[in-house]
PDB file of all heavy atoms in Angstrom:
ATOM      1  N   HIS C   1      91.919 104.973 102.022  1.00  0.00           N
ATOM      2  CA  HIS C   1      93.050 104.021 102.185  1.00  0.00           C
ATOM      3  C   HIS C   1      94.273 104.598 101.656  1.00  0.00           C
ATOM      4  O   HIS C   1      95.355 104.476 102.315  1.00  0.00           O
ATOM      5  CB  HIS C   1      92.682 102.748 101.451  1.00  0.00           C
ATOM      6  CG  HIS C   1      93.714 101.675 101.767  1.00  0.00           C
ATOM      7  ND1 HIS C   1      93.808 101.029 102.929  1.00  0.00           N
ATOM      8  CD2 HIS C   1      94.695 101.179 101.009  1.00  0.00           C
ATOM      9  CE1 HIS C   1      94.787 100.136 102.896  1.00  0.00           C
ATOM     10  NE2 HIS C   1      95.314 100.212 101.737  1.00  0.00           N
ATOM     11  N   VAL C   2      94.301 105.333 100.568  1.00  0.00           N
ATOM     12  CA  VAL C   2      95.423 105.976 100.013  1.00  0.00           C
ATOM     13  C   VAL C   2      96.022 106.994 101.010  1.00  0.00           C
ATOM     14  O   VAL C   2      97.197 107.030 101.262  1.00  0.00           O
ATOM     15  CB  VAL C   2      95.112 106.713  98.729  1.00  0.00           C
ATOM     16  CG1 VAL C   2      96.276 107.584  98.315  1.00  0.00           C
ATOM     17  CG2 VAL C   2      94.908 105.636  97.517  1.00  0.00           C
ATOM     18  N   LEU C   3      95.079 107.791 101.598  1.00  0.00           N
ATOM     19  CA  LEU C   3      95.505 108.755 102.612  1.00  0.00           C
ATOM     20  C   LEU C   3      96.168 107.972 103.846  1.00  0.00           C
ATOM     21  O   LEU C   3      97.222 108.473 104.423  1.00  0.00           O
ATOM     22  CB  LEU C   3      94.383 109.587 103.077  1.00  0.00           C
ATOM     23  CG  LEU C   3      93.737 110.482 101.987  1.00  0.00           C
ATOM     24  CD1 LEU C   3      92.576 111.295 102.617  1.00  0.00           C
ATOM     25  CD2 LEU C   3      94.795 111.496 101.456  1.00  0.00           C
ATOM     26  N   ARG C   4      95.667 106.904 104.204  1.00  0.00           N
ATOM     27  CA  ARG C   4      96.204 106.184 105.324  1.00  0.00           C
ATOM     28  C   ARG C   4      97.629 105.665 105.049  1.00  0.00           C
ATOM     29  O   ARG C   4      98.521 105.601 105.790  1.00  0.00           O
ATOM     30  CB  ARG C   4      95.293 104.968 105.710  1.00  0.00           C
ATOM     31  CG  ARG C   4      93.993 105.491 106.427  1.00  0.00           C
ATOM     32  CD  ARG C   4      93.034 104.357 106.691  1.00  0.00           C
ATOM     33  NE  ARG C   4      91.821 104.681 107.305  1.00  0.00           N
ATOM     34  CZ  ARG C   4      90.713 104.056 107.395  1.00  0.00           C
ATOM     35  NH1 ARG C   4      90.603 102.951 106.717  1.00  0.00           N
ATOM     36  NH2 ARG C   4      89.674 104.543 108.086  1.00  0.00           N
ATOM     37  N   VAL C   5      97.762 105.155 103.789  1.00  0.00           N
ATOM     38  CA  VAL C   5      99.117 104.592 103.373  1.00  0.00           C
ATOM     39  C   VAL C   5     100.071 105.825 103.339  1.00  0.00           C
ATOM     40  O   VAL C   5     101.279 105.670 103.796  1.00  0.00           O
ATOM     41  CB  VAL C   5      98.939 104.015 102.006  1.00  0.00           C
ATOM     42  CG1 VAL C   5     100.417 103.744 101.466  1.00  0.00           C
ATOM     43  CG2 VAL C   5      98.167 102.774 102.014  1.00  0.00           C
ATOM     44  N   LEU C   6      99.673 107.011 102.887  1.00  0.00           N
ATOM     45  CA  LEU C   6     100.580 108.130 102.811  1.00  0.00           C
ATOM     46  C   LEU C   6     100.889 108.522 104.223  1.00  0.00           C
ATOM     47  O   LEU C   6     102.086 108.823 104.473  1.00  0.00           O
ATOM     48  CB  LEU C   6      99.837 109.305 102.100  1.00  0.00           C
ATOM     49  CG  LEU C   6      99.836 109.131 100.579  1.00  0.00           C
ATOM     50  CD1 LEU C   6      98.946 110.299 100.037  1.00  0.00           C
ATOM     51  CD2 LEU C   6     101.172 109.242  99.954  1.00  0.00           C
ATOM     52  N   GLY C   7      99.987 108.479 105.146  1.00  0.00           N
ATOM     53  CA  GLY C   7     100.268 108.817 106.607  1.00  0.00           C
ATOM     54  C   GLY C   7     101.244 107.828 107.145  1.00  0.00           C
ATOM     55  O   GLY C   7     102.114 108.151 107.898  1.00  0.00           O
ATOM     56  N   ALA C   8     101.061 106.547 106.896  1.00  0.00           N
ATOM     57  CA  ALA C   8     101.941 105.492 107.437  1.00  0.00           C
ATOM     58  C   ALA C   8     103.447 105.663 106.814  1.00  0.00           C
ATOM     59  O   ALA C   8     104.379 105.508 107.543  1.00  0.00           O
ATOM     60  CB  ALA C   8     101.435 104.106 107.052  1.00  0.00           C
ATOM     61  N   MET C   9     103.509 106.021 105.579  1.00  0.00           N
ATOM     62  CA  MET C   9     104.790 106.254 104.982  1.00  0.00           C
ATOM     63  C   MET C   9     105.447 107.452 105.667  1.00  0.00           C
ATOM     64  O   MET C   9     106.670 107.385 105.912  1.00  0.00           O
ATOM     65  CB  MET C   9     104.635 106.417 103.478  1.00  0.00           C
ATOM     66  CG  MET C   9     104.314 105.241 102.716  1.00  0.00           C
ATOM     67  SD  MET C   9     103.652 105.469 101.042  1.00  0.00           S
ATOM     68  CE  MET C   9     104.760 106.681 100.378  1.00  0.00           C
ATOM     69  N   SER C  10     104.695 108.504 105.762  1.00  0.00           N
ATOM     70  CA  SER C  10     105.308 109.680 106.524  1.00  0.00           C
ATOM     71  C   SER C  10     105.789 109.315 107.904  1.00  0.00           C
ATOM     72  O   SER C  10     106.854 109.853 108.272  1.00  0.00           O
ATOM     73  CB  SER C  10     104.287 110.792 106.451  1.00  0.00           C
ATOM     74  OG  SER C  10     103.915 111.262 105.212  1.00  0.00           O
ATOM     75  N   ASN C  11     104.907 108.639 108.644  1.00  0.00           N
ATOM     76  CA  ASN C  11     105.323 108.317 110.013  1.00  0.00           C
ATOM     77  C   ASN C  11     106.586 107.505 110.042  1.00  0.00           C
ATOM     78  O   ASN C  11     107.438 107.594 110.897  1.00  0.00           O
ATOM     79  CB  ASN C  11     104.122 107.634 110.693  1.00  0.00           C
ATOM     80  CG  ASN C  11     102.897 108.504 110.929  1.00  0.00           C
ATOM     81  OD1 ASN C  11     103.082 109.710 111.018  1.00  0.00           O
ATOM     82  ND2 ASN C  11     101.840 107.920 111.074  1.00  0.00           N
ATOM     83  N   MET C  12     106.727 106.520 109.044  1.00  0.00           N
ATOM     84  CA  MET C  12     107.888 105.676 109.071  1.00  0.00           C
ATOM     85  C   MET C  12     109.061 106.509 108.802  1.00  0.00           C
ATOM     86  O   MET C  12     110.156 106.286 109.376  1.00  0.00           O
ATOM     87  CB  MET C  12     107.685 104.601 107.947  1.00  0.00           C
ATOM     88  CG  MET C  12     108.913 103.614 107.985  1.00  0.00           C
ATOM     89  SD  MET C  12     108.867 102.414 106.538  1.00  0.00           S
ATOM     90  CE  MET C  12     109.088 103.505 105.272  1.00  0.00           C
ATOM     91  N   VAL C  13     109.023 107.454 107.786  1.00  0.00           N
ATOM     92  CA  VAL C  13     110.189 108.209 107.491  1.00  0.00           C
ATOM     93  C   VAL C  13     110.571 109.123 108.652  1.00  0.00           C
ATOM     94  O   VAL C  13     111.765 109.278 108.984  1.00  0.00           O
ATOM     95  CB  VAL C  13     109.900 109.015 106.302  1.00  0.00           C
ATOM     96  CG1 VAL C  13     111.042 110.168 105.943  1.00  0.00           C
ATOM     97  CG2 VAL C  13     109.689 108.278 104.966  1.00  0.00           C
ATOM     98  N   LYS C  14     109.510 109.715 109.378  1.00  0.00           N
ATOM     99  CA  LYS C  14     109.810 110.558 110.543  1.00  0.00           C
ATOM    100  C   LYS C  14     110.549 109.771 111.670  1.00  0.00           C
ATOM    101  O   LYS C  14     111.457 110.237 112.344  1.00  0.00           O
ATOM    102  CB  LYS C  14     108.637 111.325 110.961  1.00  0.00           C
ATOM    103  CG  LYS C  14     108.185 112.428 110.020  1.00  0.00           C
ATOM    104  CD  LYS C  14     107.043 113.233 110.514  1.00  0.00           C
ATOM    105  CE  LYS C  14     105.757 112.436 110.520  1.00  0.00           C
ATOM    106  NZ  LYS C  14     104.626 113.332 111.066  1.00  0.00           N
ATOM    107  N   ALA C  15     109.987 108.583 111.841  1.00  0.00           N
ATOM    108  CA  ALA C  15     110.475 107.738 112.932  1.00  0.00           C
ATOM    109  C   ALA C  15     111.758 107.093 112.647  1.00  0.00           C
ATOM    110  O   ALA C  15     112.607 106.669 113.576  1.00  0.00           O
ATOM    111  CB  ALA C  15     109.542 106.655 113.279  1.00  0.00           C
ATOM    112  N   GLN C  16     112.115 106.958 111.403  1.00  0.00           N
ATOM    113  CA  GLN C  16     113.384 106.300 110.934  1.00  0.00           C
ATOM    114  C   GLN C  16     113.610 104.932 111.462  1.00  0.00           C
ATOM    115  O   GLN C  16     114.609 104.600 111.933  1.00  0.00           O
ATOM    116  CB  GLN C  16     114.579 107.321 111.223  1.00  0.00           C
ATOM    117  CG  GLN C  16     114.502 108.615 110.657  1.00  0.00           C
ATOM    118  CD  GLN C  16     115.852 109.481 110.833  1.00  0.00           C
ATOM    119  OE1 GLN C  16     116.731 109.003 111.386  1.00  0.00           O
ATOM    120  NE2 GLN C  16     115.796 110.606 110.240  1.00  0.00           N
ATOM    121  N   LYS C  17     112.474 104.258 111.442  1.00  0.00           N
ATOM    122  CA  LYS C  17     112.512 102.823 111.960  1.00  0.00           C
ATOM    123  C   LYS C  17     112.240 101.829 110.856  1.00  0.00           C
ATOM    124  O   LYS C  17     111.185 101.982 110.130  1.00  0.00           O
ATOM    125  CB  LYS C  17     111.462 102.742 113.107  1.00  0.00           C
ATOM    126  CG  LYS C  17     111.527 101.347 113.722  1.00  0.00           C
ATOM    127  CD  LYS C  17     110.434 101.261 114.886  1.00  0.00           C
ATOM    128  CE  LYS C  17     110.426  99.905 115.518  1.00  0.00           C
ATOM    129  NZ  LYS C  17     109.430  99.752 116.585  1.00  0.00           N
ATOM    130  N   MET C  18     113.073 100.829 110.769  1.00  0.00           N
ATOM    131  CA  MET C  18     112.851  99.803 109.657  1.00  0.00           C
ATOM    132  C   MET C  18     111.612  98.946 109.951  1.00  0.00           C
ATOM    133  O   MET C  18     111.424  98.452 111.080  1.00  0.00           O
ATOM    134  CB  MET C  18     114.085  98.909 109.622  1.00  0.00           C
ATOM    135  CG  MET C  18     113.879  97.826 108.471  1.00  0.00           C
ATOM    136  SD  MET C  18     115.253  96.736 108.360  1.00  0.00           S
ATOM    137  CE  MET C  18     116.466  97.724 107.592  1.00  0.00           C
ATOM    138  N   PRO C  19     110.677  98.918 108.971  1.00  0.00           N
ATOM    139  CA  PRO C  19     109.448  98.178 109.237  1.00  0.00           C
ATOM    140  C   PRO C  19     109.750  96.647 109.098  1.00  0.00           C
ATOM    141  O   PRO C  19     110.843  96.227 108.557  1.00  0.00           O
ATOM    142  CB  PRO C  19     108.556  98.692 108.047  1.00  0.00           C
ATOM    143  CG  PRO C  19     109.502  99.002 106.979  1.00  0.00           C
ATOM    144  CD  PRO C  19     110.736  99.586 107.716  1.00  0.00           C
ATOM    145  N   PRO C  20     108.749  95.818 109.512  1.00  0.00           N
ATOM    146  CA  PRO C  20     109.018  94.361 109.362  1.00  0.00           C
ATOM    147  C   PRO C  20     109.132  93.980 107.891  1.00  0.00           C
ATOM    148  O   PRO C  20     108.666  94.651 106.916  1.00  0.00           O
ATOM    149  CB  PRO C  20     107.681  93.789 109.910  1.00  0.00           C
ATOM    150  CG  PRO C  20     107.152  94.862 110.824  1.00  0.00           C
ATOM    151  CD  PRO C  20     107.617  96.116 110.204  1.00  0.00           C
ATOM    152  N   VAL C  21     109.697  92.779 107.562  1.00  0.00           N
ATOM    153  CA  VAL C  21     109.856  92.302 106.220  1.00  0.00           C
ATOM    154  C   VAL C  21     108.471  91.936 105.668  1.00  0.00           C
ATOM    155  O   VAL C  21     107.613  91.493 106.492  1.00  0.00           O
ATOM    156  CB  VAL C  21     110.842  91.210 106.219  1.00  0.00           C
ATOM    157  CG1 VAL C  21     110.419  89.932 106.893  1.00  0.00           C
ATOM    158  CG2 VAL C  21     111.221  90.855 104.734  1.00  0.00           C
ATOM    159  N   THR C  22     108.297  91.972 104.434  1.00  0.00           N
ATOM    160  CA  THR C  22     107.047  91.523 103.821  1.00  0.00           C
ATOM    161  C   THR C  22     106.760  90.091 104.125  1.00  0.00           C
ATOM    162  O   THR C  22     107.678  89.282 104.251  1.00  0.00           O
ATOM    163  CB  THR C  22     107.031  91.747 102.327  1.00  0.00           C
ATOM    164  OG1 THR C  22     105.821  91.195 101.736  1.00  0.00           O
ATOM    165  CG2 THR C  22     108.131  90.978 101.651  1.00  0.00           C
ATOM    166  N   ARG C  23     105.535  89.691 104.353  1.00  0.00           N
ATOM    167  CA  ARG C  23     105.235  88.283 104.656  1.00  0.00           C
ATOM    168  C   ARG C  23     105.360  87.392 103.339  1.00  0.00           C
ATOM    169  O   ARG C  23     105.577  86.227 103.458  1.00  0.00           O
ATOM    170  CB  ARG C  23     103.740  88.236 105.131  1.00  0.00           C
ATOM    171  CG  ARG C  23     103.466  88.887 106.469  1.00  0.00           C
ATOM    172  CD  ARG C  23     102.066  88.763 106.947  1.00  0.00           C
ATOM    173  NE  ARG C  23     101.758  89.367 108.184  1.00  0.00           N
ATOM    174  CZ  ARG C  23     100.493  89.507 108.671  1.00  0.00           C
ATOM    175  NH1 ARG C  23      99.562  88.961 108.116  1.00  0.00           N
ATOM    176  NH2 ARG C  23     100.519  90.115 109.919  1.00  0.00           N
ATOM    177  N   SER C  24     105.222  88.047 102.240  1.00  0.00           N
ATOM    178  CA  SER C  24     105.403  87.291 100.929  1.00  0.00           C
ATOM    179  C   SER C  24     106.808  87.460 100.544  1.00  0.00           C
ATOM    180  O   SER C  24     107.252  88.145  99.639  1.00  0.00           O
ATOM    181  CB  SER C  24     104.543  87.960  99.890  1.00  0.00           C
ATOM    182  OG  SER C  24     103.218  87.947 100.237  1.00  0.00           O
ATOM    183  N   THR C  25     107.704  86.547 101.101  1.00  0.00           N
ATOM    184  CA  THR C  25     109.173  86.727 100.852  1.00  0.00           C
ATOM    185  C   THR C  25     109.560  86.185  99.454  1.00  0.00           C
ATOM    186  O   THR C  25     110.682  86.518  99.119  1.00  0.00           O
ATOM    187  CB  THR C  25     109.903  85.730 101.873  1.00  0.00           C
ATOM    188  OG1 THR C  25     109.460  84.421 101.865  1.00  0.00           O
ATOM    189  CG2 THR C  25     109.794  86.273 103.296  1.00  0.00           C
ATOM    190  N   HIS C  26     108.671  85.604  98.704  1.00  0.00           N
ATOM    191  CA  HIS C  26     108.971  85.445  97.245  1.00  0.00           C
ATOM    192  C   HIS C  26     109.096  86.660  96.480  1.00  0.00           C
ATOM    193  O   HIS C  26     109.826  86.643  95.447  1.00  0.00           O
ATOM    194  CB  HIS C  26     107.859  84.431  96.654  1.00  0.00           C
ATOM    195  CG  HIS C  26     106.564  85.204  96.509  1.00  0.00           C
ATOM    196  ND1 HIS C  26     105.610  85.303  97.479  1.00  0.00           N
ATOM    197  CD2 HIS C  26     106.029  85.882  95.428  1.00  0.00           C
ATOM    198  CE1 HIS C  26     104.605  86.045  97.063  1.00  0.00           C
ATOM    199  NE2 HIS C  26     104.778  86.362  95.901  1.00  0.00           N
ATOM    200  N   ARG C  27     108.578  87.699  96.991  1.00  0.00           N
ATOM    201  CA  ARG C  27     108.843  89.026  96.338  1.00  0.00           C
ATOM    202  C   ARG C  27     110.302  89.555  96.476  1.00  0.00           C
ATOM    203  O   ARG C  27     110.693  90.372  95.727  1.00  0.00           O
ATOM    204  CB  ARG C  27     107.874  90.068  97.037  1.00  0.00           C
ATOM    205  CG  ARG C  27     106.365  89.773  96.784  1.00  0.00           C
ATOM    206  CD  ARG C  27     105.588  90.748  97.609  1.00  0.00           C
ATOM    207  NE  ARG C  27     104.114  90.577  97.364  1.00  0.00           N
ATOM    208  CZ  ARG C  27     103.169  91.285  97.969  1.00  0.00           C
ATOM    209  NH1 ARG C  27     103.534  92.100  98.869  1.00  0.00           N
ATOM    210  NH2 ARG C  27     101.889  90.968  97.696  1.00  0.00           N
ATOM    211  N   CYS C  28     111.020  88.946  97.388  1.00  0.00           N
ATOM    212  CA  CYS C  28     112.347  89.473  97.625  1.00  0.00           C
ATOM    213  C   CYS C  28     113.395  88.925  96.561  1.00  0.00           C
ATOM    214  O   CYS C  28     114.494  89.505  96.421  1.00  0.00           O
ATOM    215  CB  CYS C  28     112.861  88.990  99.014  1.00  0.00           C
ATOM    216  SG  CYS C  28     111.776  89.480 100.381  1.00  0.00           S
ATOM    217  N   ARG C  29     112.963  87.962  95.751  1.00  0.00           N
ATOM    218  CA  ARG C  29     113.923  87.313  94.756  1.00  0.00           C
ATOM    219  C   ARG C  29     114.504  88.390  93.890  1.00  0.00           C
ATOM    220  O   ARG C  29     115.687  88.333  93.609  1.00  0.00           O
ATOM    221  CB  ARG C  29     113.194  86.292  94.094  1.00  0.00           C
ATOM    222  CG  ARG C  29     113.975  85.368  93.229  1.00  0.00           C
ATOM    223  CD  ARG C  29     113.221  84.275  92.543  1.00  0.00           C
ATOM    224  NE  ARG C  29     112.377  83.509  93.484  1.00  0.00           N
ATOM    225  CZ  ARG C  29     111.042  83.495  93.364  1.00  0.00           C
ATOM    226  NH1 ARG C  29     110.384  84.264  92.454  1.00  0.00           N
ATOM    227  NH2 ARG C  29     110.384  82.764  94.248  1.00  0.00           N
ATOM    228  N   ASP C  30     113.659  89.171  93.334  1.00  0.00           N
ATOM    229  CA  ASP C  30     114.201  90.195  92.372  1.00  0.00           C
ATOM    230  C   ASP C  30     114.255  91.632  92.839  1.00  0.00           C
ATOM    231  O   ASP C  30     114.425  92.549  92.062  1.00  0.00           O
ATOM    232  CB  ASP C  30     113.271  90.165  91.049  1.00  0.00           C
ATOM    233  CG  ASP C  30     113.169  88.828  90.438  1.00  0.00           C
ATOM    234  OD1 ASP C  30     114.251  88.285  90.246  1.00  0.00           O
ATOM    235  OD2 ASP C  30     112.079  88.435  89.960  1.00  0.00           O
ATOM    236  N   CYS C  31     114.249  91.783  94.122  1.00  0.00           N
ATOM    237  CA  CYS C  31     114.304  93.070  94.724  1.00  0.00           C
ATOM    238  C   CYS C  31     115.615  93.748  94.589  1.00  0.00           C
ATOM    239  O   CYS C  31     116.711  93.146  94.951  1.00  0.00           O
ATOM    240  CB  CYS C  31     113.933  92.965  96.171  1.00  0.00           C
ATOM    241  SG  CYS C  31     113.958  94.606  97.081  1.00  0.00           S
ATOM    242  N   GLU C  32     115.634  95.030  94.348  1.00  0.00           N
ATOM    243  CA  GLU C  32     116.846  95.801  94.086  1.00  0.00           C
ATOM    244  C   GLU C  32     117.563  95.985  95.418  1.00  0.00           C
ATOM    245  O   GLU C  32     118.785  96.432  95.400  1.00  0.00           O
ATOM    246  CB  GLU C  32     116.566  97.157  93.444  1.00  0.00           C
ATOM    247  CG  GLU C  32     115.633  97.969  94.212  1.00  0.00           C
ATOM    248  CD  GLU C  32     115.125  99.142  93.452  1.00  0.00           C
ATOM    249  OE1 GLU C  32     116.027  99.865  92.863  1.00  0.00           O
ATOM    250  OE2 GLU C  32     113.977  99.465  93.470  1.00  0.00           O
ATOM    251  N   PHE C  33     116.939  95.873  96.587  1.00  0.00           N
ATOM    252  CA  PHE C  33     117.540  96.088  97.875  1.00  0.00           C
ATOM    253  C   PHE C  33     117.844  94.761  98.553  1.00  0.00           C
ATOM    254  O   PHE C  33     118.075  94.786  99.880  1.00  0.00           O
ATOM    255  CB  PHE C  33     116.569  96.979  98.706  1.00  0.00           C
ATOM    256  CG  PHE C  33     116.374  98.317  98.154  1.00  0.00           C
ATOM    257  CD1 PHE C  33     115.046  98.656  97.710  1.00  0.00           C
ATOM    258  CD2 PHE C  33     117.292  99.201  98.013  1.00  0.00           C
ATOM    259  CE1 PHE C  33     114.794  99.938  97.126  1.00  0.00           C
ATOM    260  CE2 PHE C  33     117.080 100.517  97.439  1.00  0.00           C
ATOM    261  CZ  PHE C  33     115.888 100.842  97.059  1.00  0.00           C
ATOM    262  N   LYS C  34     117.759  93.667  97.901  1.00  0.00           N
ATOM    263  CA  LYS C  34     117.890  92.374  98.597  1.00  0.00           C
ATOM    264  C   LYS C  34     119.217  92.255  99.317  1.00  0.00           C
ATOM    265  O   LYS C  34     119.195  91.720 100.453  1.00  0.00           O
ATOM    266  CB  LYS C  34     117.836  91.291  97.496  1.00  0.00           C
ATOM    267  CG  LYS C  34     117.936  89.848  98.037  1.00  0.00           C
ATOM    268  CD  LYS C  34     117.857  88.830  96.959  1.00  0.00           C
ATOM    269  CE  LYS C  34     117.956  87.377  97.452  1.00  0.00           C
ATOM    270  NZ  LYS C  34     117.897  86.464  96.377  1.00  0.00           N
ATOM    271  N   ASN C  35     120.251  92.843  98.805  1.00  0.00           N
ATOM    272  CA  ASN C  35     121.550  92.648  99.535  1.00  0.00           C
ATOM    273  C   ASN C  35     121.693  93.471 100.774  1.00  0.00           C
ATOM    274  O   ASN C  35     122.619  93.248 101.561  1.00  0.00           O
ATOM    275  CB  ASN C  35     122.707  93.091  98.509  1.00  0.00           C
ATOM    276  CG  ASN C  35     122.812  92.172  97.348  1.00  0.00           C
ATOM    277  OD1 ASN C  35     122.377  90.982  97.380  1.00  0.00           O
ATOM    278  ND2 ASN C  35     123.406  92.630  96.265  1.00  0.00           N
ATOM    279  N   TYR C  36     120.733  94.443 101.017  1.00  0.00           N
ATOM    280  CA  TYR C  36     120.826  95.318 102.259  1.00  0.00           C
ATOM    281  C   TYR C  36     119.768  94.906 103.307  1.00  0.00           C
ATOM    282  O   TYR C  36     119.864  95.409 104.279  1.00  0.00           O
ATOM    283  CB  TYR C  36     120.609  96.697 101.780  1.00  0.00           C
ATOM    284  CG  TYR C  36     121.588  97.252 100.762  1.00  0.00           C
ATOM    285  CD1 TYR C  36     121.130  97.245  99.459  1.00  0.00           C
ATOM    286  CD2 TYR C  36     122.881  97.628 101.106  1.00  0.00           C
ATOM    287  CE1 TYR C  36     122.014  97.742  98.461  1.00  0.00           C
ATOM    288  CE2 TYR C  36     123.761  98.027 100.092  1.00  0.00           C
ATOM    289  CZ  TYR C  36     123.297  98.075  98.795  1.00  0.00           C
ATOM    290  OH  TYR C  36     124.222  98.530  97.785  1.00  0.00           O
TER     291      TYR C  36
END
């Protein structure tokens, strides 16, 4: 699973495509990137 996550991260960086927002939006409250 760790290898799959690393692969997904690499693919996202290479594709330069913004992923969907997290389903647990309560996590966004204290996020350092909330304003962006």
Side-chain angles (χ1 to χ4, degrees):
H1 187 73
V2 167
L3 294 179
R4 287 173 178 163
V5 170
L6 287 171
M9 286 163 47
S10 295
N11 290 337
M12 184 188 69
V13 171
K14 287 188 291 184
Q16 298 189 1
K17 182 179 180 181
M18 180 183 284
V21 68
T22 176
R23 295 179 181 178
S24 303
T25 53
H26 67 276
R27 297 174 174 175
C28 306
R29 189 180 306 116
D30 297 319
C31 180
E32 59 189 316
F33 299 113
K34 181 179 179 179
N35 294 338
Y36 304 98

